Amino acid sequence: SFIAAAQDKLTVGVDTAFVPFEFKQGDKYVGFDIDLWDAIAKKMNVSYELRPMDFGGLIPGLQSRNLDVAMAGITITDARKQVVDFSEGYYDADLLMAVKGSDNSITKFSDLAGKKVGLKQGTAAASFMKSKYKADYVEFPNIDNAYLDLQAGNLDAVVHDSPNVLYYVKTAGDGKVKATGETDSILPQQYGFAMQKNSSLTPKINAALQALRADGTYSKIYVKWFAKQP
Ligand code: GLN
């Protein structure tokens, strides 16, 4: 009789650049998602290989069954739930603006009117901003290039997920750029791992996530990357 082969390696799609959740350091990917996923895979006793790509390729990659799992601090939304499964939420975020350290003209999202603003293609932040706030938007497949354009003076602001903006600003150093817009609490959201629709992996990943919360591993990984308790 046919016996299912031992589970092959899972193919896990990962965003090329979303500090501090997944980013390249030397020749390997590091970050909160990378560590949390590795702990989940160990609990599930599965092996996997990472497949880095622009954010916009991840959900299509699940739909075409080229990926088993995708991670990128992916915002859980009703629209995306129509086409992929999500794990339970594992991180809370909202949106922030990065501006130049010397710029005091932008403190609220409504101050972006008439400004040149970087967004990341295909993200929840980009579609929300374009529908709710008028500005001169420029979209980038890779948010790091938007931050470089801000530093170079080609943009007035970059809007992206709060943990990404905060980590970028902290590591850019010297007050060259700063985060602003905290009081607006724009687009509160949760991140989840994404799987193919009706994947048999979804309940297993949720069970592993719960076990990692219960045994302290989740907190340990959180403190490592965010220097505070979850
Ligand atoms: N949270 C964003 C979204 O799902 C993606 C974050 C990122 O740039 N990877 O739209």
Side-chain angles (χ1 to χ4, degrees), residues 28-198:
K28 63 183 199 134
Y29 276 85
V30 298
F32 178 80
D33 283 350
I34 304 287
D35 285 350
L36 184 58
W37 168 257
D38 190 66
I40 289 170
K42 285 203 172 83
K43 282 267 184 229
M44 291 169 60
N45 200 22
V46 291
S47 55
Y48 62 91
E49 80 191 36
L50 292 180
R51 191 156 307 166
M53 61 184 75
D54 285 339
F55 181 80
L58 293 169
I59 289 176
L62 291 168
Q63 291 180 279
S64 62
R65 306 195 168 267
N66 289 313
L67 299 176
D68 298 301
V69 177
M71 57 179 174
I74 303 176
T75 306
I76 301 172
T77 69
D78 287 337
R80 290 173 178 168
K81 277 188 195 165
Q82 305 296 311
V83 294
V84 295
D85 277 6
F86 278 105
S87 70
E88 286 168 13
Y90 66 80
Y91 193 93
D92 296 326
D94 58 9
L95 303 187
L96 283 176
M97 299 176 279
V99 297
K100 266 174 268 157
S102 56
D103 187 347
N104 296 316
S105 70
I106 303 169
T107 57
K108 305 185 82 52
F109 283 76
S110 52
D111 295 331
L112 294 174
K115 305 278 188 180
K116 204 162 173 198
V117 180
L119 298 170
K120 179 164 165 181
Q121 254 168 33
T123 62
S127 48
F128 180 82
M129 290 305 296
K130 288 187 288 180
S131 71
K132 295 278 192 260
Y133 292 94
K134 275 207 173 63
D136 178 8
Y137 290 116
V138 188
E139 293 188 66
F140 297 78
N142 182 325
I143 198 71
D144 288 350
N145 293 328
Y147 290 130
L148 289 175
D149 261 12
L150 174 67
Q151 294 234 21
N154 300 325
L155 293 174
D156 300 305
V158 175
V159 175
H160 205 37
D161 298 14
S162 49
N164 177 258
V165 170
L166 289 173
Y167 192 92
Y168 172 72
V169 160
K170 195 177 68 183
T171 52
D174 285 357
K176 278 181 290 206
V177 284
K178 64 185 178 186
T180 184
E182 298 85 346
T183 49
D184 282 347
S185 279
I186 292 288
L187 196 63
Q189 54 183 278
Q190 283 204 309
Y191 296 163
F193 294 97
M195 283 69 65
Q196 294 171 14
K197 191 89 187 134
N198 301 317

